[in-house]
Amino acid sequence: MIVTPITEMLGIKYPVFQGGMAWIADGTLAAAVSNGGGLGIIAAGNAPADYVRNEIRTARSLTDKPFGVNIMLMSPYADEVAAVAAEEKVAVVTTGAGNPSKYMASWKDAGIKVIPVVASTAMAKLMTRLGASALIAEGGESGGHVGELTTMVLVPQVCDSTDLPVIAAGGIADGRGVAAAFMLGAVGVQMGTRFLAARECSISDTYREKILKAGDLCTMVTGKRLGHPVRSLRTPFARNYAKAEYSDISDEELESMGVGALRKAVKDGDSENGCFLAGQIASVVNKVESAADIVRSVIEEAEPVLKGATRWIR
Ligand code: TUI
């Protein structure tokens, strides 16, 4: 059994968060992860407030365990979704892709534990000052929106910059990754890509097949030109987008190329036009299993690795 400041703070059995994957992480997946002893997280993504309220109610109907809501700060609906999270008094709010400063007081007043994703020590220090309960240090191995630093360098530096518990994310999909994260000073992990293969994750069959088949070099980052780099599978869409970024098309045209691409991957399984977000660790994800089995097995794998960590020392 691994007991850490984050399992104690949240009253969860395993120090495992499920990442807030836009269009994917709904109330059903979040409840399955929470019922399995981890922290399930509903992704608001670019969805309006009503969608998020509905998913919160779905999760509540399926579990009495704590779960979270992830607020994607670039969403046009971020303000209204932030208000719904406060009204519904969810246990945890995580944030991504920006600076949540303006919402922090309202969430804290509602008794919510705020756990922002940070991609730098400056953001870690700011969030610590504003009263975050913990931090998620997410390196650029992750799928979706990525920062500059890798998990290997970000986690120890964030740990040095705060007294808060730190959750590591980016490139973690099994017990070895969990053990490595703990070695860097983290007290828990967040995984996204691994949960794409959870039975309760309702992505298209095409998306799931692509994850199960992915190799180590199967992802690429696009979107740097517009300031929003995103890691996804190297599909025709990603290649075309990358080509367009270095062409003379306008920023507006480039922006419009991306509209709806995520939904086409998740809902339609459109191999040509979909944007299949995935992390660099996708190749270790090779079987479909329940969310509860994923949560339990990564910790059970990590325990002997951590115990045997000194096996080279004589
Ligand atoms: O947010 C994520 N991953 C995401 S969000 C998303 S939806 C999307 N769709 C199209 C374009 C962009 C996003 C898909 N995947 N991960 C958490 C994360 N947050 N990673 C990095 C950051 C981050 C970056 C900068 C957090 C804070 C930050 O601060 C910048 C500043 O100073 O405002």
mmCIF file of all heavy atoms in Angstrom, residues 34-54:
data_model
loop_
_atom_site.group_PDB
_atom_site.id
_atom_site.type_symbol
_atom_site.label_atom_id
_atom_site.label_comp_id
_atom_site.label_asym_id
_atom_site.label_seq_id
_atom_site.Cartn_x
_atom_site.Cartn_y
_atom_site.Cartn_z
ATOM 1 N N SER A 34 -12.699 6.694 -10.031
ATOM 2 C CA SER A 34 -12.875 6.964 -8.593
ATOM 3 C C SER A 34 -13.335 5.709 -7.854
ATOM 4 O O SER A 34 -12.847 5.420 -6.754
ATOM 5 C CB SER A 34 -13.856 8.122 -8.390
ATOM 6 O OG SER A 34 -13.263 9.335 -8.827
ATOM 7 N N ASN A 35 -14.243 4.951 -8.458
ATOM 8 C CA ASN A 35 -14.667 3.692 -7.822
ATOM 9 C C ASN A 35 -13.504 2.712 -7.705
ATOM 10 O O ASN A 35 -13.492 1.865 -6.816
ATOM 11 C CB ASN A 35 -15.820 3.050 -8.597
ATOM 12 C CG ASN A 35 -17.152 3.720 -8.290
ATOM 13 O OD1 ASN A 35 -17.345 4.269 -7.207
ATOM 14 N ND2 ASN A 35 -18.068 3.681 -9.252
ATOM 15 N N GLY A 36 -12.530 2.824 -8.611
ATOM 16 C CA GLY A 36 -11.350 1.966 -8.564
ATOM 17 C C GLY A 36 -10.304 2.441 -7.567
ATOM 18 O O GLY A 36 -9.249 1.835 -7.437
ATOM 19 N N GLY A 37 -10.563 3.546 -6.892
ATOM 20 C CA GLY A 37 -9.651 4.008 -5.847
ATOM 21 C C GLY A 37 -8.735 5.145 -6.261
ATOM 22 O O GLY A 37 -7.951 5.642 -5.455
ATOM 23 N N GLY A 38 -8.817 5.568 -7.524
ATOM 24 C CA GLY A 38 -8.038 6.726 -7.972
ATOM 25 C C GLY A 38 -8.885 7.984 -7.918
ATOM 26 O O GLY A 38 -9.935 8.013 -7.263
ATOM 27 N N LEU A 39 -8.424 9.043 -8.610
ATOM 28 C CA LEU A 39 -9.247 10.247 -8.731
ATOM 29 C C LEU A 39 -9.668 10.401 -10.184
ATOM 30 O O LEU A 39 -8.838 10.703 -11.050
ATOM 31 C CB LEU A 39 -8.486 11.501 -8.274
ATOM 32 C CG LEU A 39 -9.385 12.752 -8.263
ATOM 33 C CD1 LEU A 39 -10.310 12.753 -7.037
ATOM 34 C CD2 LEU A 39 -8.572 14.042 -8.316
ATOM 35 N N GLY A 40 -10.952 10.166 -10.457
ATOM 36 C CA GLY A 40 -11.497 10.403 -11.788
ATOM 37 C C GLY A 40 -11.700 11.881 -11.994
ATOM 38 O O GLY A 40 -12.015 12.615 -11.041
ATOM 39 N N ILE A 41 -11.520 12.331 -13.237
ATOM 40 C CA ILE A 41 -11.645 13.760 -13.534
ATOM 41 C C ILE A 41 -12.455 13.949 -14.809
ATOM 42 O O ILE A 41 -12.128 13.376 -15.857
ATOM 43 C CB ILE A 41 -10.241 14.408 -13.669
ATOM 44 C CG1 ILE A 41 -9.502 14.316 -12.319
ATOM 45 C CG2 ILE A 41 -10.359 15.863 -14.145
ATOM 46 C CD1 ILE A 41 -8.098 14.883 -12.324
ATOM 47 N N ILE A 42 -13.511 14.750 -14.709
ATOM 48 C CA ILE A 42 -14.349 15.083 -15.863
ATOM 49 C C ILE A 42 -13.684 16.235 -16.606
ATOM 50 O O ILE A 42 -13.330 17.244 -15.995
ATOM 51 C CB ILE A 42 -15.756 15.516 -15.400
ATOM 52 C CG1 ILE A 42 -16.491 14.343 -14.744
ATOM 53 C CG2 ILE A 42 -16.557 16.100 -16.559
ATOM 54 C CD1 ILE A 42 -17.737 14.763 -13.960
ATOM 55 N N ALA A 43 -13.518 16.092 -17.921
ATOM 56 C CA ALA A 43 -12.909 17.172 -18.703
ATOM 57 C C ALA A 43 -13.974 18.114 -19.225
ATOM 58 O O ALA A 43 -14.919 17.687 -19.888
ATOM 59 C CB ALA A 43 -12.145 16.580 -19.877
ATOM 60 N N ALA A 44 -13.807 19.404 -18.941
ATOM 61 C CA ALA A 44 -14.713 20.398 -19.521
ATOM 62 C C ALA A 44 -14.327 20.683 -20.969
ATOM 63 O O ALA A 44 -15.192 20.970 -21.794
ATOM 64 C CB ALA A 44 -14.689 21.674 -18.688
ATOM 65 N N GLY A 45 -13.033 20.598 -21.281
ATOM 66 C CA GLY A 45 -12.591 20.871 -22.656
ATOM 67 C C GLY A 45 -13.180 22.169 -23.165
ATOM 68 O O GLY A 45 -13.147 23.183 -22.471
ATOM 69 N N ASN A 46 -13.717 22.113 -24.368
ATOM 70 C CA ASN A 46 -14.366 23.299 -24.962
ATOM 71 C C ASN A 46 -15.878 23.255 -24.824
ATOM 72 O O ASN A 46 -16.593 23.937 -25.551
ATOM 73 C CB ASN A 46 -14.005 23.407 -26.444
ATOM 74 C CG ASN A 46 -12.675 24.104 -26.652
ATOM 75 O OD1 ASN A 46 -12.391 25.127 -26.027
ATOM 76 N ND2 ASN A 46 -11.838 23.546 -27.510
ATOM 77 N N ALA A 47 -16.391 22.447 -23.891
ATOM 78 C CA ALA A 47 -17.845 22.260 -23.770
ATOM 79 C C ALA A 47 -18.475 23.358 -22.913
ATOM 80 O O ALA A 47 -17.829 23.928 -22.040
ATOM 81 C CB ALA A 47 -18.134 20.902 -23.148
ATOM 82 N N PRO A 48 -19.765 23.655 -23.157
ATOM 83 C CA PRO A 48 -20.474 24.646 -22.344
ATOM 84 C C PRO A 48 -20.856 24.110 -20.964
ATOM 85 O O PRO A 48 -20.740 22.910 -20.692
ATOM 86 C CB PRO A 48 -21.727 24.963 -23.166
ATOM 87 C CG PRO A 48 -21.917 23.803 -24.067
ATOM 88 C CD PRO A 48 -20.587 23.147 -24.263
ATOM 89 N N ALA A 49 -21.348 25.010 -20.113
ATOM 90 C CA ALA A 49 -21.604 24.689 -18.704
ATOM 91 C C ALA A 49 -22.598 23.546 -18.519
ATOM 92 O O ALA A 49 -22.412 22.689 -17.648
ATOM 93 C CB ALA A 49 -22.106 25.941 -17.988
ATOM 94 N N ASP A 50 -23.644 23.518 -19.356
ATOM 95 C CA ASP A 50 -24.680 22.494 -19.173
ATOM 96 C C ASP A 50 -24.127 21.086 -19.333
ATOM 97 O O ASP A 50 -24.520 20.164 -18.624
ATOM 98 C CB ASP A 50 -25.819 22.690 -20.192
ATOM 99 C CG ASP A 50 -26.738 23.810 -19.745
ATOM 100 O OD1 ASP A 50 -26.576 24.268 -18.593
ATOM 101 O OD2 ASP A 50 -27.595 24.219 -20.555
ATOM 102 N N TYR A 51 -23.228 20.927 -20.317
ATOM 103 C CA TYR A 51 -22.596 19.619 -20.527
ATOM 104 C C TYR A 51 -21.860 19.198 -19.257
ATOM 105 O O TYR A 51 -21.991 18.065 -18.786
ATOM 106 C CB TYR A 51 -21.619 19.679 -21.714
ATOM 107 C CG TYR A 51 -20.690 18.485 -21.771
ATOM 108 C CD1 TYR A 51 -21.069 17.312 -22.420
ATOM 109 C CD2 TYR A 51 -19.433 18.508 -21.151
ATOM 110 C CE1 TYR A 51 -20.230 16.202 -22.446
ATOM 111 C CE2 TYR A 51 -18.591 17.412 -21.172
ATOM 112 C CZ TYR A 51 -18.992 16.265 -21.822
ATOM 113 O OH TYR A 51 -18.164 15.176 -21.832
ATOM 114 N N VAL A 52 -21.108 20.138 -18.685
ATOM 115 C CA VAL A 52 -20.279 19.808 -17.527
ATOM 116 C C VAL A 52 -21.161 19.470 -16.318
ATOM 117 O O VAL A 52 -20.923 18.491 -15.604
ATOM 118 C CB VAL A 52 -19.299 20.961 -17.206
ATOM 119 C CG1 VAL A 52 -18.474 20.650 -15.963
ATOM 120 C CG2 VAL A 52 -18.383 21.213 -18.400
ATOM 121 N N ARG A 53 -22.231 20.266 -16.127
ATOM 122 C CA ARG A 53 -23.146 19.993 -15.015
ATOM 123 C C ARG A 53 -23.754 18.587 -15.153
ATOM 124 O O ARG A 53 -23.829 17.818 -14.195
ATOM 125 C CB ARG A 53 -24.263 21.041 -14.989
ATOM 126 C CG ARG A 53 -24.969 21.127 -13.639
ATOM 127 C CD ARG A 53 -26.163 22.058 -13.689
ATOM 128 N NE ARG A 53 -25.852 23.442 -14.011
ATOM 129 C CZ ARG A 53 -25.457 24.351 -13.130
ATOM 130 N NH1 ARG A 53 -25.308 24.029 -11.868
ATOM 131 N NH2 ARG A 53 -25.198 25.588 -13.490
ATOM 132 N N ASN A 54 -24.124 18.264 -16.357
ATOM 133 C CA ASN A 54 -24.710 16.958 -16.631
ATOM 134 C C ASN A 54 -23.732 15.813 -16.319
ATOM 135 O O ASN A 54 -24.097 14.798 -15.706
ATOM 136 C CB ASN A 54 -25.122 16.932 -18.114
ATOM 137 C CG ASN A 54 -26.153 15.881 -18.368
ATOM 138 O OD1 ASN A 54 -27.012 15.635 -17.534
ATOM 139 N ND2 ASN A 54 -26.047 15.233 -19.517
#
